[in-house]
Amino acid sequence: MSAAPEDNAAALDSVVGGIAAQLRRSWIADPGTASLPWPSIEVLPAGQTPGQVCPGDSVKDPAAGAVQSPALYCAASGRVLLDRSRLAKESNRHGDWGVAYWLGVGLGQAILGQRAARLQPPATANLQANCLAGVLIGGTSLQPRPQDPPRPDQLVAPANGAYGTAAAEQMGTRSQRSYALLTGLGMTELAGCSDGAMAQLARDQVPDPALLGALATGTDRAAFNTMAVMNRRCRRLPNSPCPRRVPPFTGQK
């Protein structure tokens, strides 16, 4: 017997609440976010989209040719809005890891929303939100569910499949989003989520181009093997602690 819609909704809300609690602890522990207000998180009723609930932003306005996202930080209300239908699909596809990814991206947007002005082009800003999602997730115990045999792309699958190729100009390419998430987790040679680092990534100018290329093809098991990646969850680089930290942005409100 299949579960009733209200049971499925309650289950998703419970998953979001549990993941949000872990991410909030990570938020409080990070010096870059400890003093920032924690945004309220709302999984919208079925049939509502974040763009409908928080109108007036060209980033999410379909009339402006923008991309609809399952997660959106609404600066007007200080809320991270989540599309219930799309989040449920992500949960079915990727488990709790998919939910954590989108919640992390919404929180990454919230961090960037504390800045006085949008300083980055749309694609670079989205890569930065992905990177910040990785930082926050990296401070938790969240991991992809085990699979046998391991999927080479399991860790980055939510970021890779977040948007179609046509959205690359606004949201970054599949490989760039995947690389940004891994950077926040501390698994690349790029030191962190700073403006400069994300601008480099948006131009495909990274210190480990072989990894970026492998992310584009998804065929390099040596680079993607789930257990190998998780065993090096954070790589120690000069001036880059483990877990990674939210960079000290200038121009905050």
Side-chain angles (χ1 to χ4, degrees):
M1 182 179 296
S2 60
E6 57 269 22
D7 294 335
N8 292 333
L12 181 62
D13 290 342
S14 178
V15 168
V16 170
I19 291 172
Q22 289 199 57
L23 291 173
R24 186 170 190 176
R25 288 193 290 271
S26 181
W27 179 288
I28 293 171
D30 194 302
T33 46
S35 63
L36 298 181
W38 171 259
S40 61
I41 296 166
E42 183 176 349
V43 185
L44 298 174
Q48 291 187 6
T49 67
Q52 293 170 336
V53 175
C54 186
D57 189 332
S58 62
V59 171
K60 58 184 181 303
D61 182 2
V67 178
Q68 294 287 304
S69 175
L72 175 72
Y73 173 67
C74 183
S77 62
R79 295 180 295 166
V80 172
L81 304 174
L82 301 169
D83 186 316
R84 181 175 296 276
S85 298
R86 295 185 64 183
L87 198 65
K89 291 179 181 178
E90 291 296 306
S91 179
N92 290 335
R93 185 176 296 120
H94 304 297
D96 290 0
W97 188 250
V99 177
Y101 167 75
W102 281 112
L103 188 46
V105 169
L107 292 171
Q109 294 174 14
I111 295 170
L112 297 177
Q114 298 301 313
R115 307 178 77 171
R118 177 177 294 160
L119 304 178
Q120 301 276 39
T124 308
N126 187 55
L127 296 177
Q128 201 162 32
N130 275 258
C131 188
L132 294 170
V135 171
L136 293 174
I137 294 170
T140 73
S141 61
L142 294 164
Q143 294 187 23
R145 58 191 175 197
Q147 294 191 2
D148 187 19
R151 279 178 47 189
D153 64 345
Q154 184 180 7
L155 198 67
V156 297
N160 185 281
Y163 304 99
T165 303
E169 185 174 349
Q170 291 186 60
M171 301 309 213
T173 66
R174 295 176 186 272
S175 56
Q176 288 169 351
R177 292 192 304 270
S178 299
Y179 188 99
L181 178 65
L182 292 178
T183 296
L185 290 168
M187 299 177 186
T188 75
E189 296 295 333
L190 197 60
C193 306
S194 68
D195 290 349
M198 294 298 101
Q200 284 181 250
L201 174 56
R203 297 191 298 269
D204 286 341
Q205 296 174 350
V206 296
D208 44 357
L211 175 59
L212 186 63
L215 289 166
T217 61
T219 57
D220 187 350
R221 293 191 67 88
F224 283 112
N225 180 274
T226 302
M227 294 309 298
V229 171
M230 296 310 295
N231 286 339
R232 63 180 179 104
R233 188 171 179 87
C234 185
R235 308 185 74 176
R236 295 193 176 276
L237 299 175
N239 302 315
S240 299
C242 288
R244 292 288 188 262
R245 296 297 190 187
V246 173
F249 293 122
T250 59
Q252 289 186 337
K253 292 179 181 177

